[in-house]
Amino acid sequence: MTKKEKSATYVSELESIFKCPICEASMNVFELKSFICSNNHTFDFTKQGYLNLTTHPMKTKYSKDFFEARRKLIAEDKFFEPLIQAIAEMIRRQADIKKESLWILDTGCGEGSHLSNVCDKVRSDFGKAVTGVGIDIAKEGVLAAAKNYTHNIWAVADLANTPFKDKRFDVILNILSPSNYAEFNRLLRADGLVMKVVPRSGYLKEIREDLFDKTVKQDYSNTEAVDRFNENFRILDSFRVHYTRKLNQPSIQLFMQMTPLTWSAKKERIQSFLEKDSADITVDLEILIGRKTN
């Protein structure tokens, strides 16, 4: 079977979670080629195996090179491994492990490495079925996810209009990406969890100090993001992930390709950082774990 056919077969087994992003009708896989709602709105499976469920074109700044660099750092260099371990452990502690299966949605999945790694770890911890679904508005990221991780569902989708029925997910991951808390509450089951990862003040401080003068780019506060999360969910726990990794020259090249910090930095400062033989990079993140309030 081709990737397209394999993906369509997998989605056909799980199609009950979906709704049409245009009219909200139920959807069905047709001839392992298309995903069609009862009102005949049609979305084709791509040859890579993902679905584009947006209703209009969306442009982002994220390129194919951005996501390839990100995948290599995450999947091959294990740059975010402590974060993945912490997320899996928080799910193990807080999720209802009596269920036969666990449904995890990653909102802002990028090229899929975080979701794939989390699902793999949770599967080994729970010893039961875990279904991973990743969405992002960046088509290049979802394409890379479908190419490299075939055991999950991947879709280009709008976070303001997600193509899923109400109360279908046990866990929603939101890792260093925008949120839509109204949608999160709609999609979560009654006992579902939201796990939002936000940067703390020390996150990538070495890069920010090298690329920028004394500005907001150097001094970052997550207070507003944390307060807004607290307003929308009942806080169960929070966990700080803090460590420093030494990057060699090839990894520095990858990192500078995948960080949006370079988008607003001067070229000469970027070049100066790229010429380093090695660099210590601080990861300073906070995992917020919340449950629905109603």
Side-chain angles (χ1 to χ4, degrees):
M1 296 177 72
T2 64
K3 279 192 174 183
K4 179 178 180 177
E5 291 169 334
K6 287 180 181 178
S7 176
T9 300
Y10 187 40
V11 171
S12 70
E13 298 170 358
L14 308 170
E15 61 191 13
S16 63
I17 72 169
F18 288 89
K19 68 171 186 177
C20 177
I22 297 173
C23 68
E24 301 190 355
S26 295
M27 304 190 74
N28 298 100
V29 174
F30 179 71
E31 294 185 346
L32 299 185
K33 295 178 181 178
S34 302
F35 207 25
I36 304 176
C37 82
S38 54
N39 291 318
N40 289 321
H41 295 124
T42 301
F43 303 86
D44 293 331
F45 287 88
T46 65
K47 67 179 181 180
Q48 296 87 1
Y50 70 88
L51 283 160
N52 189 332
L53 295 173
T54 55
T55 57
H56 57 276
M58 293 186 171
K59 292 183 179 181
T60 73
K61 293 183 178 180
Y62 301 102
S63 66
K64 179 181 178 181
D65 290 342
F66 174 97
F67 287 115
E68 182 58 26
R70 187 174 185 264
R71 190 192 69 80
K72 287 181 179 179
L73 271 172
I74 296 173
E76 297 176 15
D77 289 2
K78 308 293 184 184
F79 185 81
F80 285 107
E81 184 68 15
L83 172 64
I84 301 304
Q85 292 278 9
I87 290 173
E89 175 61 21
M90 291 297 104
I91 292 174
R92 188 188 68 79
R93 289 185 195 177
Q94 298 290 354
D96 183 357
I97 61 174
K98 295 179 182 178
K99 291 184 177 180
E100 293 183 1
S101 62
L102 199 66
W103 290 72
I104 301 177
L105 173 66
D106 187 356
T107 57
C109 65
E111 40 60 65
S113 296
H114 284 327
L115 176 63
S116 181
N117 291 338
V118 167
C119 287
D120 286 347
K121 290 188 182 301
V122 173
R123 285 188 189 103
S124 64
D125 283 349
F126 284 14
K128 3 184 137 177
V130 177
T131 301
V133 181
I135 62 172
D136 203 297
I137 61 168
K139 184 174 70 173
E140 291 290 353
V142 176
L143 187 156
K147 176 182 174 182
N148 292 292
Y149 306 109
T150 58
H151 55 292
N152 297 300
I153 295 174
W154 306 106
V156 183
D158 184 356
L159 190 56
N161 180 33
T162 58
F164 307 111
K165 295 178 181 177
D166 296 356
K167 301 177 181 178
R168 298 289 163 155
F169 294 96
D170 300 292
V171 179
I172 290 179
L173 300 179
N174 187 233
I175 303 173
L176 299 172
S177 61
S179 306
N180 187 311
Y181 293 143
E183 275 292 89
F184 291 179
N185 270 300
R186 183 182 71 78
L187 295 171
L188 277 177
R189 290 179 171 143
D191 58 350
L193 303 173
V194 174
M195 306 186 71
K196 182 172 179 63
V197 178
V198 295
R200 291 175 59 99
S201 60
Y203 185 59
L204 309 185
K205 63 180 183 180
E206 297 85 358
I207 294 179
R208 287 189 280 113
E209 288 169 359
D210 268 31
L211 296 190
F212 303 101
D213 295 322
K214 191 71 174 177
T215 66
V216 69
K217 293 289 187 181
Q218 278 200 17
D219 299 320
Y220 173 79
S221 171
N222 65 17
T223 301
E224 185 177 344
V226 173
D227 288 346
R228 188 158 174 264
F229 187 89
N230 291 344
E231 291 169 3
N232 285 273
F233 301 100
R234 177 167 59 88
I235 300 297
L236 299 179
D237 202 355
S238 64
F239 186 83
R240 184 182 184 186
V241 179
H242 183 273
Y243 59 95
T244 300
R245 286 285 303 273
K246 182 177 287 295
L247 300 185
N248 58 20
Q249 231 293 311
S251 293
I252 290 173
Q253 301 289 321
L254 291 173
F255 205 98
M256 296 302 278
Q257 285 184 56
M258 65 149 273
T259 175
L261 288 172
T262 59
W263 295 351
S264 54
K266 294 179 180 178
K267 289 184 178 180
E268 56 268 28
R269 291 202 173 190
I270 296 172
Q271 187 58 40
S272 177
F273 200 94
L274 285 169
E275 291 172 357
K276 292 176 180 285
D277 291 328
S278 64
D280 289 330
I281 304 294
T282 298
V283 176
D284 189 11
L285 301 166
E286 187 168 6
I287 307 172
L288 307 172
I289 304 102
R291 207 181 289 280
K292 289 175 69 170
T293 57
N294 54 5

PDB file of all heavy atoms in Angstrom, residues 201 205 207-221 261 264-266 269:
ATOM      1  N   SER A 201      12.042  32.687  31.644  1.00  0.00           N
ATOM      2  CA  SER A 201      12.948  33.803  31.339  1.00  0.00           C
ATOM      3  C   SER A 201      14.304  33.360  30.802  1.00  0.00           C
ATOM      4  O   SER A 201      14.953  34.082  30.054  1.00  0.00           O
ATOM      5  CB  SER A 201      13.139  34.675  32.583  1.00  0.00           C
ATOM      6  OG  SER A 201      13.695  33.906  33.644  1.00  0.00           O
ATOM      7  N   LYS A 205      18.582  31.867  26.349  1.00  0.00           N
ATOM      8  CA  LYS A 205      19.126  33.173  26.738  1.00  0.00           C
ATOM      9  C   LYS A 205      20.433  33.487  26.014  1.00  0.00           C
ATOM     10  O   LYS A 205      20.712  34.651  25.702  1.00  0.00           O
ATOM     11  CB  LYS A 205      19.329  33.237  28.251  1.00  0.00           C
ATOM     12  CG  LYS A 205      20.348  32.249  28.811  1.00  0.00           C
ATOM     13  CD  LYS A 205      20.482  32.386  30.327  1.00  0.00           C
ATOM     14  CE  LYS A 205      21.554  31.446  30.870  1.00  0.00           C
ATOM     15  NZ  LYS A 205      21.697  31.573  32.342  1.00  0.00           N
ATOM     16  N   ILE A 207      21.312  32.713  22.959  1.00  0.00           N
ATOM     17  CA  ILE A 207      21.025  33.199  21.607  1.00  0.00           C
ATOM     18  C   ILE A 207      20.456  34.609  21.670  1.00  0.00           C
ATOM     19  O   ILE A 207      20.859  35.497  20.903  1.00  0.00           O
ATOM     20  CB  ILE A 207      20.051  32.248  20.887  1.00  0.00           C
ATOM     21  CG1 ILE A 207      20.735  30.897  20.660  1.00  0.00           C
ATOM     22  CG2 ILE A 207      19.596  32.853  19.555  1.00  0.00           C
ATOM     23  CD1 ILE A 207      19.854  29.874  19.982  1.00  0.00           C
ATOM     24  N   ARG A 208      19.513  34.844  22.578  1.00  0.00           N
ATOM     25  CA  ARG A 208      18.886  36.167  22.669  1.00  0.00           C
ATOM     26  C   ARG A 208      19.914  37.237  23.046  1.00  0.00           C
ATOM     27  O   ARG A 208      19.880  38.353  22.531  1.00  0.00           O
ATOM     28  CB  ARG A 208      17.736  36.133  23.682  1.00  0.00           C
ATOM     29  CG  ARG A 208      16.524  35.377  23.138  1.00  0.00           C
ATOM     30  CD  ARG A 208      15.287  35.506  24.012  1.00  0.00           C
ATOM     31  NE  ARG A 208      15.324  34.614  25.150  1.00  0.00           N
ATOM     32  CZ  ARG A 208      15.418  34.999  26.405  1.00  0.00           C
ATOM     33  NH1 ARG A 208      15.497  36.278  26.699  1.00  0.00           N
ATOM     34  NH2 ARG A 208      15.430  34.116  27.388  1.00  0.00           N
ATOM     35  N   GLU A 209      20.846  36.896  23.933  1.00  0.00           N
ATOM     36  CA  GLU A 209      21.857  37.871  24.346  1.00  0.00           C
ATOM     37  C   GLU A 209      22.834  38.173  23.214  1.00  0.00           C
ATOM     38  O   GLU A 209      23.334  39.301  23.096  1.00  0.00           O
ATOM     39  CB  GLU A 209      22.602  37.347  25.574  1.00  0.00           C
ATOM     40  CG  GLU A 209      21.746  37.370  26.842  1.00  0.00           C
ATOM     41  CD  GLU A 209      22.381  36.605  27.984  1.00  0.00           C
ATOM     42  OE1 GLU A 209      23.481  36.033  27.786  1.00  0.00           O
ATOM     43  OE2 GLU A 209      21.772  36.556  29.074  1.00  0.00           O
ATOM     44  N   ASP A 210      23.123  37.189  22.372  1.00  0.00           N
ATOM     45  CA  ASP A 210      24.045  37.400  21.258  1.00  0.00           C
ATOM     46  C   ASP A 210      23.393  38.133  20.083  1.00  0.00           C
ATOM     47  O   ASP A 210      24.054  38.925  19.402  1.00  0.00           O
ATOM     48  CB  ASP A 210      24.590  36.052  20.762  1.00  0.00           C
ATOM     49  CG  ASP A 210      25.893  35.675  21.454  1.00  0.00           C
ATOM     50  OD1 ASP A 210      26.054  36.075  22.624  1.00  0.00           O
ATOM     51  OD2 ASP A 210      26.724  35.000  20.832  1.00  0.00           O
ATOM     52  N   LEU A 211      22.126  37.872  19.850  1.00  0.00           N
ATOM     53  CA  LEU A 211      21.475  38.423  18.662  1.00  0.00           C
ATOM     54  C   LEU A 211      20.859  39.803  18.869  1.00  0.00           C
ATOM     55  O   LEU A 211      20.646  40.533  17.903  1.00  0.00           O
ATOM     56  CB  LEU A 211      20.380  37.463  18.162  1.00  0.00           C
ATOM     57  CG  LEU A 211      20.814  36.083  17.676  1.00  0.00           C
ATOM     58  CD1 LEU A 211      19.643  35.382  17.000  1.00  0.00           C
ATOM     59  CD2 LEU A 211      21.996  36.160  16.731  1.00  0.00           C
ATOM     60  N   PHE A 212      20.564  40.157  20.127  1.00  0.00           N
ATOM     61  CA  PHE A 212      19.814  41.390  20.353  1.00  0.00           C
ATOM     62  C   PHE A 212      20.456  42.258  21.434  1.00  0.00           C
ATOM     63  O   PHE A 212      21.141  41.765  22.332  1.00  0.00           O
ATOM     64  CB  PHE A 212      18.375  41.064  20.763  1.00  0.00           C
ATOM     65  CG  PHE A 212      17.641  40.225  19.762  1.00  0.00           C
ATOM     66  CD1 PHE A 212      17.489  38.858  19.964  1.00  0.00           C
ATOM     67  CD2 PHE A 212      17.129  40.779  18.602  1.00  0.00           C
ATOM     68  CE1 PHE A 212      16.831  38.061  19.040  1.00  0.00           C
ATOM     69  CE2 PHE A 212      16.465  39.996  17.668  1.00  0.00           C
ATOM     70  CZ  PHE A 212      16.319  38.639  17.886  1.00  0.00           C
ATOM     71  N   ASP A 213      20.209  43.558  21.324  1.00  0.00           N
ATOM     72  CA  ASP A 213      20.580  44.482  22.381  1.00  0.00           C
ATOM     73  C   ASP A 213      19.586  44.334  23.527  1.00  0.00           C
ATOM     74  O   ASP A 213      18.690  43.500  23.484  1.00  0.00           O
ATOM     75  CB  ASP A 213      20.579  45.925  21.845  1.00  0.00           C
ATOM     76  CG  ASP A 213      21.653  46.127  20.785  1.00  0.00           C
ATOM     77  OD1 ASP A 213      22.750  45.546  20.948  1.00  0.00           O
ATOM     78  OD2 ASP A 213      21.373  46.826  19.796  1.00  0.00           O
ATOM     79  N   LYS A 214      19.724  45.165  24.539  1.00  0.00           N
ATOM     80  CA  LYS A 214      18.870  45.069  25.725  1.00  0.00           C
ATOM     81  C   LYS A 214      17.436  45.462  25.360  1.00  0.00           C
ATOM     82  O   LYS A 214      17.032  46.615  25.438  1.00  0.00           O
ATOM     83  CB  LYS A 214      19.402  45.988  26.829  1.00  0.00           C
ATOM     84  CG  LYS A 214      18.756  45.774  28.184  1.00  0.00           C
ATOM     85  CD  LYS A 214      19.205  44.459  28.802  1.00  0.00           C
ATOM     86  CE  LYS A 214      18.656  44.318  30.223  1.00  0.00           C
ATOM     87  NZ  LYS A 214      19.002  43.047  30.834  1.00  0.00           N
ATOM     88  N   THR A 215      16.662  44.473  24.927  1.00  0.00           N
ATOM     89  CA  THR A 215      15.287  44.720  24.504  1.00  0.00           C
ATOM     90  C   THR A 215      14.405  43.627  25.055  1.00  0.00           C
ATOM     91  O   THR A 215      14.846  42.750  25.799  1.00  0.00           O
ATOM     92  CB  THR A 215      15.177  44.714  22.963  1.00  0.00           C
ATOM     93  OG1 THR A 215      15.470  43.385  22.513  1.00  0.00           O
ATOM     94  CG2 THR A 215      16.128  45.701  22.327  1.00  0.00           C
ATOM     95  N   VAL A 216      13.155  43.656  24.633  1.00  0.00           N
ATOM     96  CA  VAL A 216      12.216  42.615  25.048  1.00  0.00           C
ATOM     97  C   VAL A 216      12.665  41.246  24.562  1.00  0.00           C
ATOM     98  O   VAL A 216      12.329  40.220  25.134  1.00  0.00           O
ATOM     99  CB  VAL A 216      10.794  42.937  24.534  1.00  0.00           C
ATOM    100  CG1 VAL A 216      10.731  42.810  23.008  1.00  0.00           C
ATOM    101  CG2 VAL A 216       9.756  42.039  25.185  1.00  0.00           C
ATOM    102  N   LYS A 217      13.460  41.197  23.488  1.00  0.00           N
ATOM    103  CA  LYS A 217      13.968  39.920  23.000  1.00  0.00           C
ATOM    104  C   LYS A 217      14.930  39.285  23.995  1.00  0.00           C
ATOM    105  O   LYS A 217      15.092  38.069  24.043  1.00  0.00           O
ATOM    106  CB  LYS A 217      14.680  40.120  21.658  1.00  0.00           C
ATOM    107  CG  LYS A 217      13.772  40.528  20.508  1.00  0.00           C
ATOM    108  CD  LYS A 217      12.886  39.390  20.072  1.00  0.00           C
ATOM    109  CE  LYS A 217      12.110  39.765  18.819  1.00  0.00           C
ATOM    110  NZ  LYS A 217      11.209  38.678  18.370  1.00  0.00           N
ATOM    111  N   GLN A 218      15.615  40.132  24.783  1.00  0.00           N
ATOM    112  CA  GLN A 218      16.499  39.587  25.812  1.00  0.00           C
ATOM    113  C   GLN A 218      15.736  39.245  27.076  1.00  0.00           C
ATOM    114  O   GLN A 218      15.961  38.214  27.692  1.00  0.00           O
ATOM    115  CB  GLN A 218      17.609  40.593  26.139  1.00  0.00           C
ATOM    116  CG  GLN A 218      18.767  40.558  25.180  1.00  0.00           C
ATOM    117  CD  GLN A 218      20.024  41.170  25.764  1.00  0.00           C
ATOM    118  OE1 GLN A 218      20.144  41.338  26.969  1.00  0.00           O
ATOM    119  NE2 GLN A 218      20.973  41.499  24.910  1.00  0.00           N
ATOM    120  N   ASP A 219      14.826  40.108  27.475  1.00  0.00           N
ATOM    121  CA  ASP A 219      14.103  39.921  28.733  1.00  0.00           C
ATOM    122  C   ASP A 219      12.692  39.434  28.436  1.00  0.00           C
ATOM    123  O   ASP A 219      11.837  40.201  27.988  1.00  0.00           O
ATOM    124  CB  ASP A 219      14.049  41.236  29.515  1.00  0.00           C
ATOM    125  CG  ASP A 219      15.440  41.744  29.870  1.00  0.00           C
ATOM    126  OD1 ASP A 219      16.284  40.898  30.218  1.00  0.00           O
ATOM    127  OD2 ASP A 219      15.669  42.948  29.778  1.00  0.00           O
ATOM    128  N   TYR A 220      12.455  38.152  28.697  1.00  0.00           N
ATOM    129  CA  TYR A 220      11.158  37.580  28.373  1.00  0.00           C
ATOM    130  C   TYR A 220      10.425  37.195  29.655  1.00  0.00           C
ATOM    131  O   TYR A 220      11.006  36.641  30.583  1.00  0.00           O
ATOM    132  CB  TYR A 220      11.311  36.343  27.485  1.00  0.00           C
ATOM    133  CG  TYR A 220      10.004  35.628  27.277  1.00  0.00           C
ATOM    134  CD1 TYR A 220       9.083  36.104  26.348  1.00  0.00           C
ATOM    135  CD2 TYR A 220       9.674  34.514  28.048  1.00  0.00           C
ATOM    136  CE1 TYR A 220       7.862  35.471  26.171  1.00  0.00           C
ATOM    137  CE2 TYR A 220       8.453  33.879  27.876  1.00  0.00           C
ATOM    138  CZ  TYR A 220       7.555  34.362  26.934  1.00  0.00           C
ATOM    139  OH  TYR A 220       6.350  33.735  26.780  1.00  0.00           O
ATOM    140  N   SER A 221       9.121  37.471  29.704  1.00  0.00           N
ATOM    141  CA  SER A 221       8.279  37.048  30.819  1.00  0.00           C
ATOM    142  C   SER A 221       7.076  36.286  30.278  1.00  0.00           C
ATOM    143  O   SER A 221       6.463  36.692  29.287  1.00  0.00           O
ATOM    144  CB  SER A 221       7.788  38.266  31.613  1.00  0.00           C
ATOM    145  OG  SER A 221       6.814  37.869  32.566  1.00  0.00           O
ATOM    146  N   LEU A 261      13.838  33.360  16.295  1.00  0.00           N
ATOM    147  CA  LEU A 261      14.605  34.520  16.775  1.00  0.00           C
ATOM    148  C   LEU A 261      15.423  35.147  15.645  1.00  0.00           C
ATOM    149  O   LEU A 261      15.694  36.352  15.660  1.00  0.00           O
ATOM    150  CB  LEU A 261      15.526  34.104  17.924  1.00  0.00           C
ATOM    151  CG  LEU A 261      14.852  33.792  19.271  1.00  0.00           C
ATOM    152  CD1 LEU A 261      15.866  33.218  20.248  1.00  0.00           C
ATOM    153  CD2 LEU A 261      14.203  35.042  19.849  1.00  0.00           C
ATOM    154  N   SER A 264      14.117  38.362  13.184  1.00  0.00           N
ATOM    155  CA  SER A 264      14.191  39.798  13.457  1.00  0.00           C
ATOM    156  C   SER A 264      15.584  40.245  13.892  1.00  0.00           C
ATOM    157  O   SER A 264      15.765  41.364  14.367  1.00  0.00           O
ATOM    158  CB  SER A 264      13.161  40.179  14.542  1.00  0.00           C
ATOM    159  OG  SER A 264      13.334  39.375  15.695  1.00  0.00           O
ATOM    160  N   ALA A 265      16.563  39.365  13.733  1.00  0.00           N
ATOM    161  CA  ALA A 265      17.933  39.699  14.125  1.00  0.00           C
ATOM    162  C   ALA A 265      18.734  40.205  12.923  1.00  0.00           C
ATOM    163  O   ALA A 265      18.413  39.922  11.774  1.00  0.00           O
ATOM    164  CB  ALA A 265      18.613  38.476  14.733  1.00  0.00           C
ATOM    165  N   LYS A 266      19.790  40.952  13.211  1.00  0.00           N
ATOM    166  CA  LYS A 266      20.657  41.453  12.153  1.00  0.00           C
ATOM    167  C   LYS A 266      21.518  40.317  11.598  1.00  0.00           C
ATOM    168  O   LYS A 266      21.987  39.450  12.333  1.00  0.00           O
ATOM    169  CB  LYS A 266      21.555  42.567  12.696  1.00  0.00           C
ATOM    170  CG  LYS A 266      20.784  43.823  13.106  1.00  0.00           C
ATOM    171  CD  LYS A 266      21.721  44.882  13.662  1.00  0.00           C
ATOM    172  CE  LYS A 266      20.951  46.138  14.059  1.00  0.00           C
ATOM    173  NZ  LYS A 266      21.832  47.171  14.640  1.00  0.00           N
ATOM    174  N   ARG A 269      24.939  39.587  13.162  1.00  0.00           N
ATOM    175  CA  ARG A 269      24.907  38.908  14.467  1.00  0.00           C
ATOM    176  C   ARG A 269      24.580  37.427  14.295  1.00  0.00           C
ATOM    177  O   ARG A 269      25.128  36.579  15.018  1.00  0.00           O
ATOM    178  CB  ARG A 269      23.879  39.586  15.376  1.00  0.00           C
ATOM    179  CG  ARG A 269      24.292  40.983  15.808  1.00  0.00           C
ATOM    180  CD  ARG A 269      23.575  41.409  17.065  1.00  0.00           C
ATOM    181  NE  ARG A 269      24.083  42.666  17.564  1.00  0.00           N
ATOM    182  CZ  ARG A 269      23.761  43.182  18.750  1.00  0.00           C
ATOM    183  NH1 ARG A 269      22.940  42.540  19.551  1.00  0.00           N
ATOM    184  NH2 ARG A 269      24.263  44.333  19.139  1.00  0.00           N
TER     185      ARG A 269
END
